[in-house]
Amino acid sequence: MAFVTPRLFIGQSLISVPFASALLARERFGANNLGVQLYTVRNVIGKAALGDLRRIQEIGYKEIEATSGNLQTILPALKQTNLRPVSIHIEEGVFMGEAAKLDETFATAKGLGFKFAVVPYIAPEHRGGPEMFKALADKLNKFGEKAKANGLRLCYHNHAFEYQSFDGKSGLEMLMSGTDKNLVGLELDIFWASVAGQNPVDLLKRYSGRVPLLHLKDKSRNFTQVQYNEKVPKDTFKEVGNGSIDISAVLKAAEAAGTEQYFVEQDQTSGDPLESLAASYKNLSAYFS
């Protein structure tokens, strides 16, 4: 049974809204805000971008989250579909490089219709302890200011390493407490949270109002260890609904937390990634109707 959510209406007299509030009257949870993170099809989309994007649309997905690395390659094909560009993962090097290049990247993304810009990944050689997370939080605030100035909303996408604890406080807690909620949101990846021994439902409750984006991914029932890195077997990744994560509970918690956009992503697939996306959509269609 689909969850029923009232539409959000923005009063004319409202001056400002919290980071996670919808800026347009729309369903927070419905068929129109289920999309695909195109990293899932990274190994095939360069060969037949238009065909792959049309297949994603035919499956039933309405939106996409792109990656900046291959955006120009797929852009002509994307414009020939009805898929909406909503969020974009920008390479770490752009964020850590020259400020002018980041402004240019943000402006380009806004011009193409994107609403969110995401810091997707911190390379292992750039990771560390509390001081690193404090410095990263400061950088995220600055990135968030730039994103806002360019009409975008900034989010940070987690992996597993952020959940390692330092004197009782995890890296993610440091990032969330050290960033301005009006400038920096969280794109919660439920798979990597689970790998790190976290319950995504608890995280959604804890950071309610700060998780506008959600990565829907599932984890093999055979993978039970807890770890703080991305070194997992390829078959750990499963289609949404075919693994060990309680997807129904996650979706209910996300709806209550004000999540706006949902992106299916499967880092590794045993066969055709488009078939995996179709299987995930089938499993999710009971909710996103």
Side-chain angles (χ1 to χ4, degrees):
M1 178 181 296
F3 305 140
V4 179
T5 308
R7 290 185 180 273
L8 302 175
F9 292 95
I10 308 299
Q12 291 182 350
S13 62
L14 193 62
I15 297 175
S16 63
V17 293
F19 184 92
S21 294
L23 299 181
L24 298 173
R26 62 173 298 173
E27 295 287 352
R28 267 187 178 165
F29 189 84
N32 285 330
N33 52 351
L34 179 60
V36 168
Q37 163 50 260
L38 294 181
Y39 183 77
T40 307
V41 293
R42 66 195 179 282
N43 293 326
V44 298
I45 197 167
K47 303 172 184 177
L50 182 57
D52 289 341
L53 291 170
R54 283 179 172 168
R55 173 62 177 141
I56 288 171
Q57 182 176 296
E58 290 167 358
I59 289 170
Y61 294 103
K62 306 295 185 182
E63 302 178 334
I64 61 98
E65 182 175 59
T67 57
S68 62
N70 70 347
L71 179 61
Q72 294 305 317
T73 300
I74 69 164
L75 191 57
L78 180 62
K79 291 179 177 179
Q80 296 181 61
T81 74
N82 293 323
L83 293 168
R84 293 186 294 271
V86 174
S87 177
I88 182 166
H89 279 200
I90 297 173
E91 295 171 329
E92 181 187 7
V94 176
F95 282 107
M96 303 307 177
E98 297 179 4
K101 186 173 183 181
L102 182 57
D103 279 324
E104 179 183 352
T105 301
F106 281 159
T108 298
K110 178 62 177 178
L112 293 173
F114 290 97
K115 298 177 181 178
F116 295 90
V118 180
V119 179
Y121 183 71
I122 303 299
E125 61 268 24
H126 297 152
R127 300 174 189 176
E131 291 304 315
M132 183 280 294
F133 283 105
K134 182 180 182 301
L136 179 57
D138 290 340
K139 290 178 181 178
L140 290 175
N141 282 324
K142 293 176 182 177
F143 299 156
E145 289 177 351
K146 284 184 173 293
K148 186 175 182 179
N150 283 281
L152 296 170
R153 297 160 68 188
L154 185 81
C155 286
Y156 178 84
H157 170 271
N158 70 274
H159 284 79
F161 77 94
E162 297 93 344
Y163 296 99
Q164 184 173 356
S165 181
F166 302 93
D167 296 324
K169 192 172 185 179
S170 74
L172 184 66
E173 289 176 301
M174 296 178 200
L175 290 180
M176 297 301 282
S177 64
T179 51
D180 184 336
K181 66 180 180 180
N182 295 307
L183 297 175
V184 182
L186 175 65
E187 179 171 52
L188 178 62
D189 188 305
I190 66 174
F191 173 93
W192 291 118
S194 181
V195 166
Q198 302 295 308
N199 185 338
V201 171
D202 294 338
L203 293 168
L204 284 161
K205 291 178 180 178
R206 183 182 309 163
Y207 299 120
S208 180
R210 292 197 69 181
V211 191
L213 309 180
L214 193 73
H215 268 192
L216 292 173
K217 306 163 74 169
D218 219 334
K219 187 184 76 173
S220 170
R221 301 179 192 279
N222 297 324
F223 189 91
T224 57
Q225 64 262 39
V226 172
Q227 63 186 60
Y228 303 110
N229 58 61
E230 296 83 50
K231 297 178 181 179
V232 300
K234 290 183 178 181
D235 61 3
T236 306
F237 298 91
K238 297 297 180 185
E239 289 75 18
V240 180
N242 290 350
S244 60
I245 298 176
D246 188 342
I247 300 300
S248 178
V250 167
L251 293 176
K252 289 178 182 178
E255 183 187 28
T259 298
E260 299 171 40
Q261 312 289 156
Y262 302 79
F263 298 107
V264 172
E265 181 185 38
Q266 190 168 337
D267 299 37
Q268 303 288 343
T269 62
S270 59
D272 185 348
L274 289 164
E275 291 301 319
S276 289
L277 288 174
S280 290
Y281 185 87
K282 180 179 179 181
N283 292 339
L284 287 166
S285 60
Y287 305 103
F288 291 86
S289 61

